[in-house]
Amino acid sequence: MSTTERAGAPGRPPLPAVLRSVLAVEVRLFLREPLTLVLGVAMPSVVLFGMAAIPALREPSPDFGGMRFIDFWAPTALVLGLCLVGVSHLPAVIGTYRENGVLRRLSTTPVHPGVLLVAQLIIVLATMALSSLVLVVASWLVLDIGLPQRPLLFAVALVTGSASLVASGMLVAAVVPSARAANGVATLLYLVVMLVGGLFLPRFLLPEVLVRMGEFTPPGVQLLMDAWWGRVDSTNPHAVQLAVMAGITVLAAAAAARLFRWE
Amino acid sequence: MAIIEVANLRKRYGEKVAVEDVSFSVDEGEIFGVLGPNGAGKTTTVECVSGVREPDRGRLRVLGLDPSTDRTRLRRVLGIQLQEARLPDRIRVVEALRMYASFHQHPADVGELLSMLDITDRAGAQYRTLSGGQQQRLSIALALVGRPRVAVLDELTTGLDPRARRETWKLVERVRDSGVTIVLVSHFMDEAERLCDRVAVVDRGRVAALDTPERLVARASHERGGGRATLEDAFVSLTGGGDLL
Ligand SMILES: Nc1ncnc2c1ncn2[C@@H]1O[C@H](COP(=O)(O)OP(=O)(O)OP(=O)(O)O)[C@@H](O)[C@H]1O
Ligand SMILES: [Mg+2]
């Protein structure tokens, strides 16, 4: 053959088949180290049940507008699970893959390493959905916490809120050089989200500025609360909060895509 | 007939010039060695050839493809074993091979690759439990699973015991006999002497010599003025360490 002759390039396998094969392996890897699954899915409910073991927190109180503390705190538990998976786990996995050259090796194949990121996103979003479902159903069955009163709004808020968290997590994952760095930065982000989300102090004790932040930092805990309790009136800017979460998602995802380093 | 052509390749990382000016060509069916001291620019050179890195300057052709612009097509016909790339700790050998096989339209048979690399009995083992040599062999298998026409192997026997090295050499010869052109980066002169049809000795980003191992040895013997030199002697004198002889 002559050197100018082009290599006979065979076609490439269809993308869905490749994604299936990568996803199947990544799911197995995820299940082989089930810490995230266990923590992310079980911990929110376990912590909430722990709170409920304290009798005073099961008594309706005027502080919460006649609700019990555990009613009031359930959305915080929900955010705890979302955050563990989307903000802590995701950057750690991608950081490890970058540090160990897994992404780099993949980039030597005909397949774009982005396929691996898509597989990770699917796993993370599915785990977040499972975590939310378990928390809402367990609170209802065991603690008699009402199901979300505005189910549709709740579902939309949950989806956009989760997306905004995952996009923020992906932005961290895009640039951290290693698993250690990922843990450091992710922990910081995690603390902010959970502070606003009311993990360290119940949100009714938080200063006004942090309460307001809860309307506009991922995952939009205020909206989740309102939709859960059915406290929806025309003065609450729900559409604005949803739009903000969607905007954060788009911006963070675009920045992550732009900044993403494969090695 | 040249299957790889490299002309005046240059590559910097920031201020640091990794490859100053490298030219060579590799014929179809050859095992071509790239030798040189640590930091000479060997890895950078073969990564540019493989389209993993973007060169600053120079003309590169692999099977008629330009690695910078025909990256996707190149990846279907060139397999590279990277010097430093691990796999996820808990992935099983056979899972990794099947997954990489799914990236290609006409992959090699996973079972055959396993037995050719003599890791059949470790097929179900997780990556973290493999010995260094077994990880290395899996890495080679992944580079070959797409049935490439060109295989680039960067330090493939570093860290292997003498027996495993010899096994790997046989493997490389078998791969070549199956029609694959091989670019082999190595620090081992015995390896180069045994395997390579021709070698480029790279030193500080330039090609210090380009010839068959035999002729490099003959030249070193001559310069030394009698007594048979080894390829190692040739290497040392070519890479600016003549006073070590
Ligand atoms: N990603 C990088 N960023 C900055 N400098 C780099 C990078 N990779 C390599 N270098 C530098 O470029 C030079 C050539 O490196 P290269 O890895 O090509 O050498 P090598 O011949 O493969 O060495 P070795 O035998 O140790 O593997 C070295 O000085 C190295 O420090
Ligand atoms: Mg190297």
Side-chain angles (χ1 to χ4, degrees), chain A residues 12-154:
Chain A
R12 72 172 121 178
L15 200 54
V18 171
L19 180 59
R20 262 202 310 280
S21 121
V22 173
L23 185 61
V25 170
E26 290 300 320
V27 166
R28 275 185 229 139
L29 294 178
F30 183 65
L31 296 178
R32 266 174 215 157
E33 260 174 312
L35 188 66
T36 299
L37 189 63
V38 172
L39 281 185
V41 173
M43 198 155 92
S45 305
V46 169
V47 174
L48 190 62
F49 292 175
M51 297 268 187
I54 303 169
L57 303 183
R58 293 197 308 262
E59 298 299 323
S61 153
D63 283 342
F64 315 119
M67 294 164 81
R68 302 170 299 172
F69 177 86
I70 51 170
D71 296 316
F72 185 84
W73 202 75
T76 296
L78 176 76
V79 173
L80 176 71
L82 298 181
C83 209
L84 267 172
V85 181
V87 174
S88 294
H89 168 77
L90 181 65
V93 173
I94 309 285
T96 308
Y97 280 0
R98 178 178 296 116
E99 183 176 11
N100 290 343
V102 173
L103 297 175
R104 206 162 126 68
R105 188 198 294 269
L106 211 53
S107 73
T108 68
T109 72
V111 166
H112 193 277
V115 172
L116 186 60
L117 302 188
V118 174
Q120 285 300 331
L121 286 180
I122 293 173
I123 291 172
V124 159
L125 287 169
T127 309
M128 288 167 114
L130 182 64
S131 168
S132 310
L133 189 70
V134 167
L135 181 84
V136 170
V137 171
S139 322
W140 176 57
L141 289 179
V142 181
L143 301 178
D144 202 25
I145 295 174
L147 290 175
Q149 308 221 338
R150 297 276 313 261
L152 190 64
L153 180 65
F154 184 78

Side-chain angles (χ1 to χ4, degrees), chain B residues 43 83 154-155:
Chain B
T43 295
Q83 189 177 356
D154 195 350
E155 303 214 4

Side-chain angles (χ1 to χ4, degrees), chain A residues 160-220:
Chain A
T160 37
S162 303
S164 67
L165 274 185
V166 168
S168 313
M170 203 42 130
L171 181 56
V172 175
V175 291
V176 287
S178 67
R180 281 173 70 104
N183 282 332
V185 182
T187 303
L188 213 73
L189 185 59
Y190 183 82
L191 289 178
V192 172
V193 171
M194 289 320 302
L195 176 67
V196 171
L199 180 66
F200 308 113
L201 262 186
R203 278 177 54 77
F204 71 92
L205 289 177
L206 288 179
E208 176 67 15
V209 53
L210 285 183
V211 173
R212 296 283 307 176
M213 268 178 77
E215 293 172 13
F216 302 111
T217 37

Side-chain angles (χ1 to χ4, degrees), chain B residues 50-100:
Chain B
S50 313
V52 179
R53 287 200 193 281
E54 188 72 26
D56 296 331
R57 214 176 58 203
R59 183 176 184 279
L60 297 172
R61 286 293 176 276
V62 179
L63 289 151
L65 302 169
D66 180 342
S68 322
T69 55
D70 296 319
R71 218 168 269 200
T72 318
R73 295 169 64 142
L74 182 65
R75 278 171 197 168
R76 295 182 202 145
V77 289
L78 180 143
I80 175 166
Q81 183 241 345
L82 296 167
Q83 189 177 356
E84 279 162 7
R86 296 174 51 81
L87 286 169
D89 275 348
R90 284 167 202 266
I91 198 168
R92 296 185 199 281
V93 168
V94 66
E95 285 170 351
L97 272 165
R98 290 222 181 97
M99 182 170 87
Y100 273 68

Side-chain angles (χ1 to χ4, degrees), chain B residues 6 20 52 58 68-69 74 79 115 133 142 145 150 156-157 162 166-167 175-177 183 194 204 210 219 240:
Chain B
V6 178
E20 182 81 50
V52 179
S68 322
T69 55
L74 182 65
S115 71
L142 293 177
V145 76
V150 177
L156 86 161
T157 61
R166 283 184 168 71
E167 295 290 326
V175 172
R176 188 262 300 274
D177 292 343
V183 177
R194 153 87 191 258
R204 281 161 290 178
L210 179 68
R219 205 187 312 161

